[in-house]
């Protein structure tokens, strides 16, 4: 196990094939893939097997018959444990070595966790993706070619360019193709063999030259389920000195419950929530599993690249998008820098840091959730059980179609949820916030301070603060700023104002307590005179919708704003609300603590709105410039709310798209759709126009007469309020003098109540009958306008 | 199959059609520019393009807002099986945000076969909702929140709406919030910060035009040949129906119906009534059926109860009317009795009843809501002393007296007395 010893044993070949392909185990745990491949569920494996036959039949014909992966696949039992002599010797050595080392270190008999392990001269660290041996008799084709060969001439790529077929994933030299290609074409490319196979002709791939066996690359083996891929979750040295790792399996589409779906990419794998503890020997070598963004940027990185967008739940057979694949990686990398790697002087030996993970297994949420099926999903002190059940049984086709139209991309970009990379038009405010926070936390003293931010909704208040915090966080990571803790609270998301204490306390300490207790702890933390709190980091508290926290005696606001004034609080409070005059509304003792620092986010001008929209639409050319200007001018005139402006544009794009999809004729012509003024106009109309005029116009006749009588009564008396009694008389008078039938008082009462329901009128309940008071809810001009050109009852015009 | 049987079968078929909203409103789904296709586009774009949306359906009651929404959701669930889950809330039941959050959690648990706990606090439920939104977004599942009586959710702090609409602004969720309201000013009721998060996509459901009503009638009543009924019956039924629909008189009936109330639900009520009147021997629609159905639909409850009043009750009503006409400010049982007595004295009517009998008649009128106590005054007093008001208009009372079976002439005279 020591590197020198290891080098002694291994031959030069071992550098290419780093691990001798024998699975052995000193302990009783045999490496196996849990759940899925145990005989309890033989269906899956059979299915996978069938797929494999059909997909790789052409390859199979030519592979050496001695290698029979099929027979093994059919009996997916855990592989027998073998213990060759060589291994045993190595184990002895390693134990001796560890003991020696442990003499120096603190504890003798414990698992030691590592971030990085160098094994067989290859460094493995957490989060790496590796190939794993599937069965131990795979030694027959252990000549694992690192480099792919051309499928025609069977020579490695060398200096010549190779192209990969998107269907069969075989590599070809550009020259070897018929006709030869000059350069790699853009987009998808399918080789001649696949193309003719598709059209139904029998194809014969060129035979390998005599004496040369056709070797399969690790990628081919993986995709035909002769190998496994897994991600390293944790690495540790066991008590007896053997090195172990915890694998998080990847699965190929054929092995899932639904099998390969038509939209699956050839190189696609799924991450599973299936784990296994394996010995280091089982690792073959690195591969790389990438998320969609990484994968799309891949240029020429070899054959061991896989694509992974979804997680597959082996228990529920369901799919879910992976949310934090890249976030995880960032974390691991960030942590690396904190520890020194020079603890081992020998470069060849396993570099190990003595940090012990408490228990990695405990952290992984899915394994925990498995054990607790019966718990309620919605009330376990913030932990939610059973969420693994949610997941699509099949990945729907439509989400994977990658060719979005311009309009669809525009709609996605205009979504409120899509955060732009940078926020235009709020530079001044963001600078102010940054200087405020920096001023507050950079001081040695860290004096507590308050900042009050106000402005109408949709002017980017919260977003600006959050983006400032993000920038500051990166500064902390770079080490130019002292670390701080950041707590974000929204007043409207709390069940009651008092709850705020427990939320703050939970964010700061991680414990959940009732609000009274939390208040006590927080008081201790912020008010304590003693200097024990020297080491504690400053805390930035962001309270959104601050006005919601105003209670009757305003004690909560008092507490929050009082803490920063305490000498050792190290608390910075940023309050956000819509009203300008919140400090004036508060008790004097509170508003004096709030201080005078306030920042106003004014409504956006039309130029600003225009800039916001056009930054989002950068690179997507489907909006008329005038249309965007029109929308932003309109919104700026009404509210200056950026959300409104974005929504109008999105709605306009939707309307254009809808109109386009409806007229199927244009679909073929491929004409580019541009969102024009008409669409924007329609969207604005929908958003701002009150619907009552349209409703009045579509009313039944009697309702119109009723409304006309209301207006008539209003003009006659000058009072806005009238009673049903008077109204009924004038309606009857209208009807009789114009030859309409009068349907009776009960029907009339019903009509009045219906209008009241729509809030065209304000009415008392109908049981008051004759005494019912009525009033127009809209101005009489609106009603007159709506009724003026009424076709069915032309005589109405003379009464209004 | 006998003729009577066939007619019964047809009746049954027509009745099921009328009561089945998805059949009635499938009429509107054919039109390409209808609310149906607009709504379908909005919701399906959220399903296929993984984005969040919110919309508000507005329109008078009985115009088919919910029915259209149900139809759209049903259709989309067929198109994307297992990808859409619907959470239905009603403002009348869940106007309180705590209660609403609990109901959301309950329905989510039910839908996804999770264990639901009644004990969970608001806090727990809202964190549950947020993580469900996220998980469902990751699994490409769309959550559709249907908020019926949307205006009632706007009472109070509007916490629920804020939370839901704010959650729609995170990228990973995939949800649609559909509000349904009959109030024209429903979107004005939103608080500014909630309104800013709401997308203001409004779909307006209007009263159908009279042509639409005609066509809808045809759509509902027309029998198709594959309905299992004998072909010759279907043929005669349909020819008769087409003849009716072309008839001006029939159009007149529909117009009279739409004159007062042109909603779809009103038309359905009318058609149901007509179909129920269908003669089970011939099983053919006729104009008379529709005429009598119209009468049944347009009833005047107050007038009818006036017609059913006893003579004494009419006397009481007329007395109170006379006192109101004299502009006496208050009027209660005792002052009414005085008036009754004076009438009796002047006209020497044959029937004079004792005070306790009058009191019973008076109370009966109160029960029928032809009279009511004036509000706010004299609580705790006994019936005799509390001031009352007439709840029928004078012309109505006059009409009732005229059409009453056995109204004494003196009452007519008394009624006319003060009117001039």
């Amino acid at each position: 196990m020591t590197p020198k010893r290891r080098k002694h044993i291994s031959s030069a070949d071992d550098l290419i094939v780093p691990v001798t392909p024998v699975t052995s185990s000193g302990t009783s745990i045999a490496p196996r893939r849990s759940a899925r491949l145990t005989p309890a569920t033989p269906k899956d494996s059979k299915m996978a097997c069938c797929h494999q036959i059909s997909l790789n039949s052409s390859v199979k014909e030519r592979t050496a018959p001695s290698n029979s992966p099929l027979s093994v696949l059919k009996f997916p039992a855990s592989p027998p444990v073998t213990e060759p002599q060589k291994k045993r010797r190595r184990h002895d050595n390693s134990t001796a070595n560890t003991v020696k080392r442990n003499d120096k270190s603190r504890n003798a008999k414990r698992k030691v966790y590592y971030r990085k392990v160098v094994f067989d001269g290859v460094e493995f660290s957490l989060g790496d993706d590796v190939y794993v041996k599937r069965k131990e008799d795979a030694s027959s084709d252990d000549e694992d070619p690192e480099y792919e060969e051309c499928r025609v001439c069977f020579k490695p790529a060398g200096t010549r360019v190779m192209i990969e077929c998107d269907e069969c994933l075989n590599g070809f030299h550009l020259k070897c193709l018929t006709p030869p290609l000059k350069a790699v074409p853009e987009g998808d490319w399918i080789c001649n063999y696949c193309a003719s196979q598709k059209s139904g002709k029998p194809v014969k791939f060129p035979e390998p030259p005599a004496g040369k066996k056709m070797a399969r690359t690790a990628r081919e083996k993986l995709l035909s389920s002769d190998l496994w891929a897994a991600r390293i979750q944790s690495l540790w040295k066991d008590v007896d000195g053997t090195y172990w790792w915890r694998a998080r399996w990847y699965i190929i589409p054929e092995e899932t419950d639904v099998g390969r779906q038509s939209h699956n990419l050839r190189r696609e794998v799924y991450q599973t929530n299936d784990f296994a503890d394996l010995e280091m020997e089982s690792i073959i070598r690195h591969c790389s599993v990438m998320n969609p963004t990484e994968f799309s940027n891949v240029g020429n990185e070899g054959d061991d690249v896989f694509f992974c967008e979804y997680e597959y739940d082996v228990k529920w057979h369901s799919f879910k998008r992976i949310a934090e694949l890249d976030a995880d990686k960032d974390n691991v990398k960030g942590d690396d820098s904190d520890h020194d790697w020079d603890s081992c002087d020998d470069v060849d030996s396993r570099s190990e840091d003595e940090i012990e993970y408490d228990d990695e297994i405990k952290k992984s949420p899915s394994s925990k959730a498995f054990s607790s099926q019966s718990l309620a999903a919605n009330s376990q002190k913030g932990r939610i059980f059973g969420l693994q059940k949610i997941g699509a049984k099949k990945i729907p086709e439509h989400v994977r179609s990658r060719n979005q139209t311009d309009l669809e991309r525009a709609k996605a970009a205009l979504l409120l949820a899509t955060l732009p990379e940078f926020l235009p038009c709020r530079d001044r405010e963001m600078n102010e916030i940054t200087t405020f926070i920096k001023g507050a936390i950079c001081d040695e003293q860290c004096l507590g301070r308050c900042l009050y931010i106000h402005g109408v909704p949709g002017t980017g208040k919260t977003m600006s603060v959050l983006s400032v915090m993000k920038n500051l966080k990166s500064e902390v990571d770079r080490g130019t700023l002292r670390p701080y803790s950041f707590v974000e609270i929204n007043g409207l998301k709390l069940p009651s104002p008092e709850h705020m204490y427990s939320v703050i306390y939970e964010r700061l300490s991680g414990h959940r307590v009732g609000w009274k207790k939390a208040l006590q702890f927080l008081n201790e933390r912020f008010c304590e005179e003693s200097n024990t709190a020297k080491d504690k980091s400053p805390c930035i508290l962001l309270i959104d919708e601050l006005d919601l926290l105003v209670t009757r005696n305003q004690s909560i606001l008092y507490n929050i704003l009082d803490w920063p004034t305490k000498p050792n609080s190290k608390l910075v409070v940023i309050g956000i609300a819509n009203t300008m005059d919140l400090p004036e509304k508060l008790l004097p003792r509170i508003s004096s603590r709030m201080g005078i620092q306030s920042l106003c986010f004014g409504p956006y001008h039309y130029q600003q709105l225009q800039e916001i929209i056009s930054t989002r639409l950068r690179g997507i050319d489907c909006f008329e410039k005038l249309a965007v200007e029109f929308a932003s001018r309109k919104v700026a005139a009404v509210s200056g709310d950026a959300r409104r402006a974005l929504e109008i544009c999105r709605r306009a794009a939707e309307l254009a798209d809808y109109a386009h999809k409806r007229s199927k004729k244009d679909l073929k012509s491929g004409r580019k759709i541009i969102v024009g003024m008409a669409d924007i106009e329609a969207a604005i109309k929908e958003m701002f126009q009150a619907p009552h005029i349209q409703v009045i116009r579509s009313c039944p006749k009697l309702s119109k007469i009723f409304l006309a009588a209301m207006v008539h009564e209003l003009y006659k008396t000058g009072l806005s309020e009238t009673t049903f009694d008077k109204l009924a008389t004038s309606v009857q008078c209208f009807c009789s003098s114009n030859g309409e039938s009068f349907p009776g008082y009960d029907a009339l009462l019903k009509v009045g109540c219906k209008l009241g329901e729509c809030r065209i009128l304000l009415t008392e309940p109908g049981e008051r009958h004759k005494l019912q008071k009525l009033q127009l809810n809209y101005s009489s001009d609106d009603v007159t306008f709506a009724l003026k050109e009424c076709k069915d009852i032309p005589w109405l015009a003379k009464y209004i | 199959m006998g003729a009577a049987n066939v007619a019964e079968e047809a009746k049954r078929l027509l009745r099921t059609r009328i009561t089945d909203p998805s059949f009635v409103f499938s009429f509107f789904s054919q039109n390409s520019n209808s609310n149906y296709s607009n709504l379908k586009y909005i919701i399906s774009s959220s399903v296929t393009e993984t984005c969040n949306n919110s919309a508000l359906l507005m329109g008078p009651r009985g115009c088919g807002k919910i029915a259209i929404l149900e139809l759209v959701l049903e259709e989309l669930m067929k198109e994307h099986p297992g990808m859409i889950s619907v959470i239905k809330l009603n403002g009348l039941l869940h106007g309180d945000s705590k209660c609403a959050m609990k109901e959301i959690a309950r329905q989510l648990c039910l839908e996804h076969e999770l264990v639901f706990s009644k004990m969970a606090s608001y806090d727990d439920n809202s964190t549950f909702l947020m993580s469900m939104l996220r998980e469902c977004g990751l699994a490409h599942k769309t959550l559709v929140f249907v908020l019926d009586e949307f205006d009632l959710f706007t009472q109070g702090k509007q916490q629920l709406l804020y939370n839901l609409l704010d959650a729609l602004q995170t990228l990973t969720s995939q949800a649609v919030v559909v509000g349904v309201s009959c109030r024209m000013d429903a979107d004005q009721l939103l608080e500014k910060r909630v309104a800013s998060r709401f997308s203001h996509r409004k779909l307006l459901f209007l009263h159908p035009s009279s042509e639409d009503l005609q066509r809808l009638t045809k759509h509902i009543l027309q029998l198709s040949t594959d309905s299992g009924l004998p072909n010759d019956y279907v043929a005669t039924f349909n020819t008769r129906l087409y003849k009716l629909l072309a008839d001006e008189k029939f159009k007149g009936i529909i117009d009279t119906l739409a004159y007062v109330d042109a909603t779809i639900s009103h038309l359905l009520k009318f058609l149901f009534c007509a179909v129920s009147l269908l003669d089970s021997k011939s099983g053919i629609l006729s104009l008379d059926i529709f005429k009598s159905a119209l009468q049944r639909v347009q009833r005047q409850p107050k007038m009818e109860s006036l017609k059913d009043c006893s003579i004494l009750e009419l006397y009481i009503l007329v007395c109170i009317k006379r006192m109101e006409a004299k502009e006496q400010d208050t009027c209660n049982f005792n002052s009414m009795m005085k008036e009754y007595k004076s009438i009796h004295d002047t006209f020497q009517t044959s029937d004079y009843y004792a005070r306790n009998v009058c009191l019973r008649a008076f109370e009966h009128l109160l029960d029928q809501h032809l009279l009511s106590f004036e509000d706010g005054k004299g609580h705790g007093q006994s019936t005799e002393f509390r001031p009352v008001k007439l709840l029928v208009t004078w012309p109505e009372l006059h009409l009732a007296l005229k059409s009453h079976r056995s109204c004494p002439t003196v009452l007519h005279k008394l009624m006319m007395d003060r009117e001039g």
Side-chain angles (χ1 to χ4, degrees), chain A residues 141-159:
Chain A
D141 60 1
D142 55 352
E143 38 184 301
D144 174 26
E146 192 87 331
Y147 302 104
E148 203 189 354
E149 292 164 345
C150 171
R151 189 65 192 77
V152 180
C153 66
F154 297 95
K155 284 177 190 130
T159 53

Side-chain angles (χ1 to χ4, degrees), chain A residues 329-341:
Chain A
K329 275 184 181 161
D330 286 351
N331 267 342
V332 172
K333 272 172 199 158
D335 285 354
D336 282 351
S337 56
D338 293 344
H339 313 291
D340 57 344
W341 296 103

